[in-house]
């Protein structure tokens, strides 16, 4: 699977926007960009995913660079409940032993200050 | 409640023993994935099943095995347990295996081997 690079940690204040960057310079044309987050003592939670166009859902927005070598997860107004580890993952096309699996890196630890 | 049910939530057992972890996927999901999360290894993919058949294998030890039953629930069997097997074990499910689908994770089983 192609690798992603994320900052180890970021901090934000409550009710401010948060931009979580992810670099994936070796992304292939068919890789989807997925974001998950893991709150303390819980299982990972799906946040958002996209291929080429920017995506919005009720949790967040995903901004994908035109060359697809980087992306940014945007939390529009951070709350204390958004404090978590955020994982940026490239999901490869079907085939071979990589079929279907998500490969998690170390992620970004987001701290939200009241 | 994510819709993915894992039992038991906690398990304490002795070295050399065998345990079975159970996962019921979200209603309608055909694919089940197992992950192991330890402090020093992060989230590691173990194995995937789709509609009863094994689809992908990750870093799963030979002492570990899994299966998915006709009602789509899955079991992960861990045998000859060692202290290093102590970890959180997560199950996730998705409708299909394709890259355009997100996973739903359960809350995990915390295994402690003493």
């Amino acid at each position: 699977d192609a690798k992603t690079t994320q900052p180890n940690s970021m901090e934000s204040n409550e009710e401010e926007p948060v931009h979580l960057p992810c670099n994936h310079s070796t992304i292939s044309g068919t890789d989807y960009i997925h974001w998950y987050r893991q709150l303390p003592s819980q299982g990972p939670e799906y946040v958002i995913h996209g291929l080429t166009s920017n995506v919005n859902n009720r949790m967040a927005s995903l901004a994908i660079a035109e060359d697809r070598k980087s992306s940014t997860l945007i939390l529009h107004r951070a709350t204390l409940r958004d404090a978590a580890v955020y994982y940026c993952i490239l999901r490869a096309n079907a085939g071979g032993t990589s079929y279907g699996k998500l490969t998690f890196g170390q992620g970004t630890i987001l701290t939200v200050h009241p | 409640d994510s819709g993915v049910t894992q039992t038991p939530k906690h398990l304490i057992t002795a070295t050399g023993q065998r345990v079975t972890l159970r996962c019921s996927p979200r209603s309608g999901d055909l694919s089940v994935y197992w992950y192991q999360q330890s402090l020093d290894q992060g989230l590691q993919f173990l194995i995937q099943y789709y509609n009863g058949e094994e689809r992908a294998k990750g870093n799963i030890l030979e002492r570990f095995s899994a299966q998915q039953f006709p009602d789509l629930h899955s079991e992960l069997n861990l045998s000859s347990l060692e202290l290093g097997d102590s970890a959180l074990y997560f199950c996730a499910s998705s409708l299909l295996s394709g890259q355009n689908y997100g996973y739903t994770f359960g809350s995990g089983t915390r295994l402690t081997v003493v």
Side-chain angles (χ1 to χ4, degrees):
Chain A
D1 297 326
K3 289 202 179 295
T4 63
T5 304
Q6 299 177 253
N8 289 334
S9 62
M10 290 186 65
E11 296 186 17
S12 173
N13 294 317
E14 205 175 4
E15 299 194 3
E16 290 184 355
V18 181
H19 291 236
L20 296 164
C22 181
N23 287 321
H24 29 79
S25 58
T26 60
I27 190 171
S28 75
T30 55
D31 287 345
Y32 275 76
I33 302 160
H34 283 245
W35 283 82
Y36 284 76
R37 71 180 185 180
Q38 187 172 20
L39 280 65
S41 302
Q42 295 188 27
E45 176 186 27
Y46 167 79
V47 177
I48 201 166
H49 76 280
L51 182 61
T52 56
S53 304
N54 294 344
V55 184
N56 300 296
N57 65 22
R58 62 174 181 81
M59 289 181 69
S61 296
L62 176 60
I64 301 173
E66 202 169 324
D67 63 4
R68 300 207 331 123
K69 293 184 186 299
S70 66
S71 61
T72 303
L73 179 71
I74 303 165
L75 307 179
H76 296 286
R77 288 182 67 209
T79 70
L80 297 179
R81 287 175 294 181
D82 291 322
V85 180
Y86 285 79
Y87 298 97
C88 169
I89 303 165
L90 299 185
R91 193 162 183 192
N93 202 354
T97 57
S98 296
Y99 189 79
K101 74 174 186 180
L102 288 174
T103 301
F104 287 81
Q106 295 306 306
T108 296
I109 301 171
L110 175 65
T111 301
V112 180
H113 299 290
Chain B
D1 181 10
S2 68
V4 176
T5 304
Q6 289 189 249
T7 56
K9 292 195 183 307
H10 301 276
L11 199 49
I12 302 175
T13 190
T15 54
Q17 295 298 305
R18 172 189 169 95
V19 297
T20 297
L21 312 184
R22 182 188 169 101
C23 169
S24 294
R26 198 178 54 162
S27 178
D29 285 354
L30 300 176
S31 205
V32 170
Y33 311 80
W34 285 97
Y35 282 80
Q36 178 192 55
Q37 186 173 36
S38 56
L39 282 174
D40 58 345
Q41 292 288 327
L43 274 157
Q44 299 288 312
F45 169 74
L46 295 178
I47 198 164
Q48 177 205 354
Y49 280 84
Y50 175 75
N51 205 18
E53 293 187 3
E54 182 184 305
R55 273 296 178 92
K57 244 178 178 176
N59 302 320
I60 188 166
L61 299 172
E62 285 193 12
R63 300 183 285 109
F64 296 0
S65 65
Q67 55 184 326
Q68 186 179 29
F69 294 88
D71 67 352
L72 300 177
H73 92 271
S74 177
E75 291 181 357
L76 179 66
N77 300 297
L78 315 176
S79 61
S80 302
L81 285 167
E82 302 174 359
L83 295 177
D85 298 326
S86 296
L88 269 167
Y89 291 84
F90 289 106
C91 166
S93 72
S94 66
L95 174 61
L96 297 173
S97 291
Q99 58 185 154
N100 197 21
Y101 293 90
Y103 289 15
T104 301
F105 280 82
S107 56
T109 293
R110 182 176 294 279
L111 173 66
T112 303
V113 182
V114 297

